[in-house]
Amino acid sequence: MNKSGSLISQLFSIRNRYGKFSSQKLNLLNELSVQPVKSKKALQLYYDTLLFLIAYPDNKSIYQLASQSLQHLHTYIQSHENRKAGLFNSGITGTRLCAAFSFEIVKWLRKKHPKNIRLSSFEADDGHIQSILSVVMPKVESEILQDANATWKSWLKRFLEKGEDILDRLIAIFDETDIRPEIRDELWNAIGINVEINFASPTRLPDSLISPYYHRSLVKKNLNKQQSGVKPILVDLDEREAGQIIECGRMILVRHLREIDPITFAAARLVSYYLLPRGLAVALMGTVPERRHPIDSYMGYVVFKNGLPIAYAGSWILFDSGRIGLNVFPAYRGGESQYIFDQVLKLHAWVYKLNRFSVDPYQVGKENSEGIKSGAFFTYYHAGFRPIREEQKKLAEAEALKIKSIRGYRSPASVLKKLADSRLELVLQKRAVRFDATDLSQAYANILKNKYNNNRKVAEELWFTKLADIIQIKNYHEEKLKFILKNWCILLLTNEQELRRNSGLKKILKKLFKLKAGGDEEDYIFELQRARELRKFLERIVKENVG
């Protein structure tokens, strides 16, 4: 290992140690400022270590020096083409990445950063692309693509305006189609449009939203008791700041080859930003009405520390229960992940009035190798979550005892995989609703099978107009309302007679559907929490139709 590699390894090893290690960090940062870093592995480790030091600095000197070193590293990579090429697809500032992203993200990137995104390649062959475009384009125009009159590429090139390329035409065609958005997205994905993105600038919040926090140590356990009186502070954002928060959220996910709907489909008016203890801030994001889930509320969040986005996930809220997860970006692992998750849970419970949380098996490692590798199960376990299935509950208790009594013990991957074969829950109040949208999904599937022989189309077409008639929704053919009614109708009309008799239930359903179609999603959440009769109605449906 050369000298710079050795220095970086030393710096990484003490990045999350404080007190007497502060001066050592400063010395290493100063030494590295004059040392060329050549290997790909060392550059990646140096980049991640600097990000960690900015998020978790000992003091102002380390914060400033790590920030300066990160800027110098960006400049160094940018000016050395071979270094830049070696870090392709790393997501590091100054490098490039190539992958396929959703229509909405590509459209947004092309508009926001036109010089930093370009078309690279297609995963589908020309015949497949031509077939998809024939569906997306207006019928009268797509006729030219039939019977070898023109290839799709030659036809699109004929209509390019000055400064445009094929990517711009594809975006325009998909943007103008009248196909339902979720179907359009799948057709876009089927083409497999790989774009190359240049990360020309770092992903961080504007200075107006940053107030550096310095650490004497790291918190490795729950501090909720000591901080029970500390309430989150809601920041009054202007539209520009809200837009910058969304951009931060989208770009950090793109850098890690990820996306989630509430961040992809967020809008400035749907962002709320909260300041929390120890330099944390959390941005909560809702989705625009046309991309909302029909029954629960899919919300997203990004955790920031000293202006850097360090973690993200989504929450699916139904009544006073929320399915939730936490994904800490690799550079920030070894920090205060457990404490951060505790704060995220506390914020969600406070903002959305939640009394229960649940976690899907994927989050703790089922069909998710990263979840197994990181030991994600115990992040949730230490936060108070317990497996719903009895077998996993007993296994978790045995493993927790081993961890406590055997020094250095870590649950093997084989055990973590068994633990991941159950949903987890954290019950804050006994009165909390004990089912999620996943349970309603099972009930829906069983009703469809048992009553309609799995003929979804016939069932939905038959019942959505009936549901609209029962609750007196006249504009049921409007696209968003139609989508909502079709997703609710089979569940609700399982007990049709009860629904017809209950005028209060019909009234609240009408109000909820209108909120879901075009109102505020948080208003929908709170109205749903007040709808006790609907909760009892759905609880019976779940009990009767989920084994």
Side-chain angles (χ1 to χ4, degrees), residues 347-478:
L347 179 67
H348 277 74
W350 186 72
V351 172
Y352 299 124
K353 300 179 172 61
L354 302 182
N355 293 314
R356 173 184 178 262
F357 292 97
S358 67
V359 173
D360 291 330
Y362 178 83
Q363 290 290 335
V364 293
K366 187 168 185 178
E367 298 178 9
N368 174 7
S369 59
E370 188 175 327
I372 297 297
K373 184 179 179 181
S374 66
F377 177 88
F378 284 102
T379 296
Y380 296 98
Y381 194 84
H382 293 319
F385 286 82
R386 295 296 180 265
I388 292 175
R389 291 178 59 184
E390 196 62 33
E391 179 187 351
Q392 278 72 24
K393 188 180 291 185
K394 290 178 179 177
L395 180 59
E397 289 171 357
E399 286 299 299
L401 185 61
K402 287 180 184 178
I403 291 170
K404 187 177 180 179
S405 58
I406 303 173
R407 185 178 178 86
Y409 177 82
R410 286 178 61 90
S411 298
S414 58
V415 171
L416 292 173
K417 287 177 182 178
K418 289 179 182 177
L419 289 170
D421 200 24
S422 170
R423 281 191 288 163
L424 280 65
E425 69 174 355
L426 168 63
V427 180
L428 304 177
Q429 297 286 342
K430 289 183 179 180
R431 67 177 184 273
V433 70
R434 300 298 289 271
F435 66 90
D436 300 306
T438 51
D439 300 293
L440 291 177
S441 178
Q442 290 182 52
Y444 177 98
N446 290 335
I447 293 167
L448 199 64
K449 178 182 177 182
N450 297 330
K451 293 193 175 184
Y452 305 102
N453 198 28
N454 284 327
N455 196 328
R456 180 179 291 100
K457 184 176 181 181
V458 168
E460 287 182 355
E461 289 297 331
L462 177 66
W463 294 113
F464 102 88
T465 51
K466 179 181 279 192
L467 178 60
D469 180 63
I470 290 171
I471 62 177
Q472 298 182 346
I473 292 181
K474 295 180 180 179
N475 56 335
Y476 61 87
H477 280 301
E478 288 183 8

Side-chain angles (χ1 to χ4, degrees), residues 80-121:
H80 290 76
E81 199 60 41
N82 59 335
R83 306 281 185 270
K84 188 191 301 184
L87 292 166
F88 187 75
N89 265 20
S90 66
I92 291 176
T93 303
T95 68
R96 291 183 173 87
L97 173 149
C98 184
F101 294 95
S102 71
F103 168 72
E104 200 67 31
I105 285 295
V106 173
K107 175 186 169 184
W108 172 76
L109 281 167
R110 190 64 164 173
K111 182 179 180 180
K112 187 78 176 177
H113 305 285
K115 294 180 180 178
N116 292 323
I117 178 173
R118 71 173 186 86
L119 179 63
S120 175
S121 63

Side-chain angles (χ1 to χ4, degrees), residues 512-530:
L512 286 168
F513 292 170
K514 288 186 175 181
L515 281 172
K516 178 63 80 170
D520 188 283
E521 189 77 325
E522 291 187 9
D523 288 342
Y524 173 86
I525 291 170
F526 301 140
E527 198 64 47
L528 194 61
Q529 289 171 350
R530 289 190 284 268

Side-chain angles (χ1 to χ4, degrees), residues 63 204-212 240-241 244 273 306-307:
Y63 176 77
R204 64 189 291 275
L205 291 177
D207 291 340
S208 62
L209 295 175
I210 300 174
S211 180
R240 179 171 169 272
E241 288 172 328
Q244 289 171 317
Y273 184 74
N306 287 350

Side-chain angles (χ1 to χ4, degrees), residues 297-365:
S297 298
Y298 186 14
M299 315 298 282
Y301 72 86
V302 180
V303 180
F304 295 91
K305 195 163 177 64
N306 287 350
L308 296 176
I310 66 169
Y312 79 100
S315 58
W316 295 259
I317 297 169
L318 185 68
F319 294 102
D320 62 345
S321 178
R323 289 159 56 210
I324 199 164
L326 174 73
N327 299 289
V328 178
F329 295 114
Y332 306 102
R333 292 171 189 169
E336 297 180 334
S337 298
Q338 189 68 59
Y339 174 75
I340 289 168
F341 190 43
D342 292 334
Q343 291 297 310
V344 166
L345 292 173
K346 186 178 178 182
L347 179 67
H348 277 74
W350 186 72
V351 172
Y352 299 124
K353 300 179 172 61
L354 302 182
N355 293 314
R356 173 184 178 262
F357 292 97
S358 67
V359 173
D360 291 330
Y362 178 83
Q363 290 290 335
V364 293

Side-chain angles (χ1 to χ4, degrees), residues 218-231:
L218 293 183
V219 172
K220 294 296 185 180
K221 59 182 180 179
N222 196 328
L223 282 184
N224 280 349
K225 289 184 179 179
Q226 295 95 311
Q227 297 178 340
S228 58
V230 180
K231 289 186 177 180

Side-chain angles (χ1 to χ4, degrees), residues 138-380:
K139 183 66 176 174
V140 66
E141 183 181 4
S142 66
E143 286 293 336
I144 195 68
L145 302 181
Q146 310 304 318
D147 300 321
N149 288 300
T151 66
W152 70 269
K153 197 172 289 186
S154 65
W155 184 248
L156 264 58
K157 284 181 177 179
R158 286 182 60 181
F159 298 97
L160 293 179
E161 296 183 9
K162 188 176 180 181
E164 283 191 335
D165 62 18
I166 291 290
L167 181 59
D168 296 297
R169 291 314 306 151
L170 286 168
I171 291 171
I173 288 169
F174 275 81
D175 199 32
E176 293 162 5
T177 187
D178 58 2
I179 296 173
R180 275 196 62 81
E182 64 271 18
I183 298 173
R184 177 196 64 193
D185 292 348
E186 290 305 316
L187 291 171
W188 174 274
N189 294 340
I191 293 178
I193 301 174
N194 290 309
V195 292
E196 188 175 288
I197 301 166
N198 176 37
F199 298 109
S201 57
T203 298
R204 64 189 291 275
L205 291 177
D207 291 340
S208 62
L209 295 175
I210 300 174
S211 180
Y213 180 86
Y214 308 120
H215 293 70
R216 293 182 178 179
S217 62
L218 293 183
V219 172
K220 294 296 185 180
K221 59 182 180 179
N222 196 328
L223 282 184
N224 280 349
K225 289 184 179 179
Q226 295 95 311
Q227 297 178 340
S228 58
V230 180
K231 289 186 177 180
I233 300 171
L234 177 62
V235 177
D236 185 17
L237 299 172
D238 59 37
E239 188 173 350
R240 179 171 169 272
E241 288 172 328
Q244 289 171 317
I245 288 170
I246 293 173
E247 176 162 2
C248 252
R250 289 174 178 169
M251 290 305 295
I252 193 64
L253 290 180
V254 167
R255 285 174 183 258
H256 289 84
L257 301 172
R258 304 178 190 180
E259 282 187 63
I260 63 169
D261 284 358
I263 296 175
T264 295
F265 301 115
R269 68 184 186 281
L270 304 175
V271 176
S272 51
Y273 184 74
Y274 293 87
L275 301 181
L276 303 174
R278 298 185 65 78
L280 290 174
V282 175
L284 302 176
M285 303 184 195
T287 55
V288 294
E290 57 269 21
R291 304 313 294 256
R292 289 174 182 169
H293 284 202
I295 297 178
D296 61 356
S297 298
Y298 186 14
M299 315 298 282
Y301 72 86
V302 180
V303 180
F304 295 91
K305 195 163 177 64
N306 287 350
L308 296 176
I310 66 169
Y312 79 100
S315 58
W316 295 259
I317 297 169
L318 185 68
F319 294 102
D320 62 345
S321 178
R323 289 159 56 210
I324 199 164
L326 174 73
N327 299 289
V328 178
F329 295 114
Y332 306 102
R333 292 171 189 169
E336 297 180 334
S337 298
Q338 189 68 59
Y339 174 75
I340 289 168
F341 190 43
D342 292 334
Q343 291 297 310
V344 166
L345 292 173
K346 186 178 178 182
L347 179 67
H348 277 74
W350 186 72
V351 172
Y352 299 124
K353 300 179 172 61
L354 302 182
N355 293 314
R356 173 184 178 262
F357 292 97
S358 67
V359 173
D360 291 330
Y362 178 83
Q363 290 290 335
V364 293
K366 187 168 185 178
E367 298 178 9
N368 174 7
S369 59
E370 188 175 327
I372 297 297
K373 184 179 179 181
S374 66
F377 177 88
F378 284 102
T379 296
Y380 296 98

